[in-house]
Amino acid sequence: MPVSPLRPPLGLLAVLAVLAVSGPVLLFALITWQVVADGPLAGVDERLSRALVHPDRFSELLADLGNVQVAGPVLVVALAYAAWHGRASGTARWWLPPLAAAVAMVLVPALVVPLKEWTDRPGTPAVPPATGYYPSGHTATAVVAYGAATLLLLGRLRRPAVRRALVVLCAVLVLGTSYGLVRRGYHWPLDVVASWCLGAVLLAGVRSVARRTPPGGSLPAPVSRSTRRSSSGTPSPRTGPS
């Protein structure tokens, strides 16, 4: 009898899943409270920004990685490939992971725009006087677009080295975007961290759906008439306890 691999208890997995979502939610709530109330954390944020801001061409190019025109096509390609691969391999509910990733991307502006209007946070001295900078839409776009694309492709890559390289590339793109936004002065550091939290929650949903729809899972094979007749007919003489 084959020995099944050891797996963590379901209770532990449930606790880890709750922590993975509740942690970013609580941190986001704390940051938002400090920004709206102009608390001590907001003061530290402003001092840190003054030390980090140094506008240059390189930081502007990094910040552009969070543009929808840049990050969006990356996700679209990953969506198309995941949908094609899932359908071609006969995966059950192959459309669920791409749909979850697309919904997560649509939720970015649906969440960020009202929050910008509600918090009404002014920008850094490096940008023209305006409000609505919290949270960072570019950061949220980068986190969800590059992160969801990575989650869709990870299960379809066999070599561990390639999988690790993809995760590293995703992290470099997100961190590069975040650094560029802060360095260029487009956003305060807390604007960026808050969008990390939002993106983490959205990606947790995408990951949950992707894990429930393994790329290798196939549709159940139809039962033939002969199989039904043999299974419902007279038991075989070999039938018995094994």
Side-chain angles (χ1 to χ4, degrees), residues 31-102:
I31 295 174
T32 304
W33 165 52
Q34 287 292 291
V35 168
V36 173
D38 198 20
L41 196 58
V44 174
D45 184 43
E46 293 173 3
R47 291 193 294 272
L48 179 62
S49 177
R50 286 194 291 269
L52 293 176
V53 170
H54 185 75
D56 54 24
R57 180 59 180 165
F58 181 63
S59 61
E60 189 170 349
L61 290 174
L62 288 177
D64 287 343
L65 292 173
N67 286 340
V68 176
Q69 296 86 344
V70 177
V74 175
L75 179 58
V76 169
V77 170
L79 289 173
Y81 175 76
W84 170 81
H85 186 278
R87 184 172 184 179
S89 61
T91 302
R93 297 188 298 275
W94 55 267
W95 45 269
L96 268 180
L99 177 61

Side-chain angles (χ1 to χ4, degrees), residues 63-218:
D64 287 343
L65 292 173
N67 286 340
V68 176
Q69 296 86 344
V70 177
V74 175
L75 179 58
V76 169
V77 170
L79 289 173
Y81 175 76
W84 170 81
H85 186 278
R87 184 172 184 179
S89 61
T91 302
R93 297 188 298 275
W94 55 267
W95 45 269
L96 268 180
L99 177 61
V103 170
M105 195 69 240
V106 171
L107 285 175
V108 169
L111 293 171
V112 169
V113 172
L115 283 167
K116 285 178 175 291
E117 294 179 356
W118 174 57
T119 55
D120 202 36
R121 191 182 195 190
T124 71
V127 295
T131 58
Y133 282 87
Y134 178 91
S136 167
H138 280 66
T139 304
T141 298
V143 171
V144 174
Y146 299 133
T150 300
L151 290 175
L152 290 175
L153 298 178
L154 273 181
R156 292 160 176 82
L157 299 174
R158 296 179 180 272
R159 298 178 59 182
V162 178
R163 292 163 59 91
R164 287 193 294 268
L166 179 62
V167 173
V168 169
L169 176 61
C170 174
V172 168
L173 290 172
V174 172
L175 293 177
T177 304
S178 306
Y179 173 80
L181 291 168
V182 173
R183 187 70 169 175
R184 177 60 179 79
Y186 286 145
H187 278 286
W188 306 99
L190 284 184
D191 301 346
V192 169
V193 177
S195 289
W196 289 351
C197 297
L198 280 178
V201 173
L202 294 175
L203 290 181
V206 177
R207 183 173 183 270
S208 176
V209 173
R211 286 174 63 89
R212 294 173 185 271
T213 315
S218 58

